[in-house]
Amino acid sequence: MDQERYERGWKRLMEVDGEGGSRVVESLGDIAPDWGRYVIEFAFGDIYMREALDLKQRELITIASLTTQGGCEPQLHVHLNAALNVGLSPDEIVEAIMQCIPYTGFPRVLNAVMAAKKVFQERGDVPGFAASK
Amino acid sequence: MDQERYERGWKRLMEVDGEGGSRVVESLGDIAPDWGRYVIEFAFGDIYMREALDLKQRELITIASLTTQGGCEPQLHVHLNAALNVGLSPDEIVEAIMQCIPYTGFPRVLNAVMAAKKVFQERGDVPGFAASK
Amino acid sequence: MDQERYERGWKRLMEVDGEGGSRVVESLGDIAPDWGRYVIEFAFGDIYMREALDLKQRELITIASLTTQGGCEPQLHVHLNAALNVGLSPDEIVEAIMQCIPYTGFPRVLNAVMAAKKVFQERGDVPGFAASK
Amino acid sequence: MDQERYERGWKRLMEVDGEGGSRVVESLGDIAPDWGRYVIEFAFGDIYMREALDLKQRELITIASLTTQGGCEPQLHVHLNAALNVGLSPDEIVEAIMQCIPYTGFPRVLNAVMAAKKVFQERGDVPGFAASK
Amino acid sequence: MDQERYERGWKRLMEVDGEGGSRVVESLGDIAPDWGRYVIEFAFGDIYMREALDLKQRELITIASLTTQGGCEPQLHVHLNAALNVGLSPDEIVEAIMQCIPYTGFPRVLNAVMAAKKVFQERGDVPGFAASK
Amino acid sequence: MDQERYERGWKRLMEVDGEGGSRVVESLGDIAPDWGRYVIEFAFGDIYMREALDLKQRELITIASLTTQGGCEPQLHVHLNAALNVGLSPDEIVEAIMQCIPYTGFPRVLNAVMAAKKVFQERGDVPGFAASK
């Protein structure tokens, strides 16, 4: 195991997903510990460390990918939190989901908006959301 | 038909997709003319006119959605051109596709990268691509 | 906003989806109100107002599309009710789902049949269902 | 092998898909002959023989399922022909595909409309199409 | 109905899926009894009776197909049990799911691993699992 | 870059995919060289090096995943060759694809069988295929 790669991945995972990400990794510790190791090493240690796009752009893309794929509501929950963590506003997040309507249709977009609603409610203090809507 | 909405959609379609978009709309003129009308009115006259995200962000999202969905290579061709049209660099576009690997796997990402390669070759003069790679 | 289009869409939504549809639209009112507006204007004000197919045929098609797509059980719940609302019988609805087996396999069809079972039970008085099975 | 079931399936396949269907079955004769046998026995001998829906309704459903699934253009080609064979008009077929826009998005619908355009052109004499469009 | 085919399918269903399979079939008895009949006759009486691959190999394939498809967690639950029933070890089952990461991405694989975790916990006595992890 | 991981991945890629795999990696060398690097390091250096399943089992799983996903015919072409390379017989490969019928339907299975037919014809000398069929 490449220790340096694991550590930079873990740091990036903490920065992006925060507790939500580490909870998922831990929950698989007794059945598929390498799933979490690969998420840390490959997804966060390799992909999320790349240049050319910043973390806000990466989360817009991730949310579009999970929205389109369907059946990934638990992962959307993690990445909707991540999107807020890296500085996207609730309005930008909802807008990213809305942009998928012409490409993937209303149902998948509805599922993603419902997941966003839940995350925004859980975080209550999300700036601008409770106030502006 | 709401003429104003159609016209602002057409203008936005020209700005974003350019000839590639209008060619698709025209090719269906004799069989499903309303497909093109709805793309113009709804996708471009409504969705692409919205605020909160700019056109670069919208194309990153669209490319992620089409990459993830699979089987949409012709539409990727149009939107890879659109991404260049609105000012994304080839590096940013390839990076957006690469960001989808952890979420949708290597095969769908390969299909999208191959579509990007074709578009970049067709446009030959894409700044920075031939030179830097 | 095109008021006439919105109003004919709302009327059609009420006719087809009934309360189930308006509940979904309302539930997003504080987070993505335009999702509901586009469903009303575009899905119901444009698409469902078209000719060449009647509402029964449109709901057969919608149920096939949602069954095949997968992960759309909440939307199936709305459209299984819609199918009954526009006059399809429980037998015709189950049959439409069964017709998808060769094309999308047993699992997606099972998910849709389970959704139908729930709708039929909720509506209890569905004519012919309790009696004939 | 249940001979009676095979024979009623073959008859139904001929009635619905015609030559297009038998060509597919034959093309697999040297590699996976049972794929064709199961299509005949199960898809056509069992499913397409069921009651509650007629063949026109079944083809509307099949086209919606294949359009939504994506990547099934060869199969759409067979079933777009089948739809005409069982008496659906070109207008009804295009309309069935259009009805999928809100549920599966513009790209998958575009792929299906392009497949329909090709079938209608190949059959040239399709009544009403060349004339009315 | 081909009685012999039904009976050999039922026997095979019992051998592979056990109670989990029969419960699903029964739960649809009042709404879509033929869904269960076709699963028994076609999926188990035809496909699962074929040669060239044994039952362990067939369950590895089924788990890969359900993992990739997404939104099939109830069916995964049945087939994760089936995989244990035909003699695959928990390690082999988790490994089959992990093998799908490069092809379908981390999210679908996570959903399948979570389903496996639930099945292994329910069966408690699964040899080697509680001990080795 | 972890040189040891890259090298063991490359060796495994050569063993499994052979020239077909290296050709894909090379074809992206001027546009997305890291796509190939990650396939080598992660897919082959990590995943394909794991224990609990042998290479034959891994290719059965990969073929099931690609068949189910759809729109991955180029990748199926590579992995159908890989399946033969690691010692699966044509009959076992076709059987693995057939096993997916109940789960993903006839159309996706047809696409995969057609891809297999092409690979078997290209390799002409595949033992037992030309003779037995």
Side-chain angles (χ1 to χ4, degrees), chain A residues 24 27-28 30-32 34-35 38-39 42-43 66 69-72 74-75, chain E residues 71 94 98 101 104 106-111 113-114 116-117 120-121 129 133:
Chain A
V24 175
S27 75
L28 298 184
D30 57 350
I31 177 169
D34 288 345
W35 185 90
Y38 295 141
V39 164
F42 176 61
L66 292 172
Q69 194 163 173
C72 296
Q75 293 85 359
Chain E
V94 170
M98 294 288 285
I101 295 177
T104 195
F106 288 96
R108 294 235 181 283
V109 165
L110 174 58
N111 289 344
V113 173
M114 295 303 279
K117 183 174 178 172
F120 297 165
Q121 285 173 336
F129 183 69
K133 305 275 165 162

Side-chain angles (χ1 to χ4, degrees), chain A residues 56-102:
Chain A
K56 287 189 193 183
Q57 291 170 309
R58 289 189 187 279
E59 284 305 325
L60 290 178
I61 289 162
T62 298
I63 285 169
S65 182
L66 292 172
T67 296
T68 302
Q69 194 163 173
C72 296
E73 283 72 23
Q75 293 85 359
L76 266 174
H77 190 269
V78 171
H79 281 283
L80 289 161
N81 274 292
L84 293 167
N85 294 345
V86 301
L88 287 163
S89 72
D91 279 352
E92 288 169 320
I93 292 168
V94 170
E95 195 59 37
I97 300 171
M98 294 290 285
Q99 171 69 15
C100 296
I101 295 176

Side-chain angles (χ1 to χ4, degrees), chain F residues 3-132:
Chain F
Q3 192 61 28
E4 187 274 334
R5 190 164 153 261
Y6 184 89
E7 276 165 21
R8 85 172 176 241
W10 178 261
K11 240 169 98 177
R12 180 71 18 138
L13 173 71
M14 286 299 96
E15 181 186 354
V16 174
D17 283 355
E19 270 185 57
S22 64
R23 244 197 318 267
V24 175
V25 168
E26 276 158 33
S27 76
L28 298 185
D30 56 351
I31 177 168
D34 288 345
W35 185 91
R37 182 162 72 84
Y38 295 141
V39 165
I40 292 165
E41 288 179 358
F42 176 61
F44 286 90
D46 286 347
I47 301 289
Y48 272 84
M49 294 304 294
R50 294 171 61 83
E51 301 183 357
L53 294 177
D54 63 27
L55 290 178
K56 286 188 193 185
Q57 290 169 309
R58 289 189 188 278
E59 285 304 325
L60 289 177
I61 289 161
T62 299
I63 284 169
S65 182
L66 292 172
T67 295
T68 302
Q69 193 164 172
C72 296
E73 283 72 24
Q75 292 85 359
L76 266 175
H77 190 269
V78 171
H79 281 283
L80 290 161
N81 273 292
L84 294 167
N85 294 345
V86 300
L88 287 163
S89 73
D91 279 352
E92 288 169 319
I93 292 168
V94 170
E95 195 58 36
I97 300 171
M98 294 289 286
Q99 170 70 16
C100 295
I101 294 176
Y103 304 105
T104 195
F106 288 96
R108 293 234 180 286
V109 165
L110 174 59
N111 288 343
V113 174
M114 294 304 278
K117 183 174 178 173
K118 197 170 157 226
V119 167
F120 296 166
Q121 285 174 334
E122 286 168 2
R123 291 172 71 126
D125 56 350
V126 170
F129 182 67
S132 74

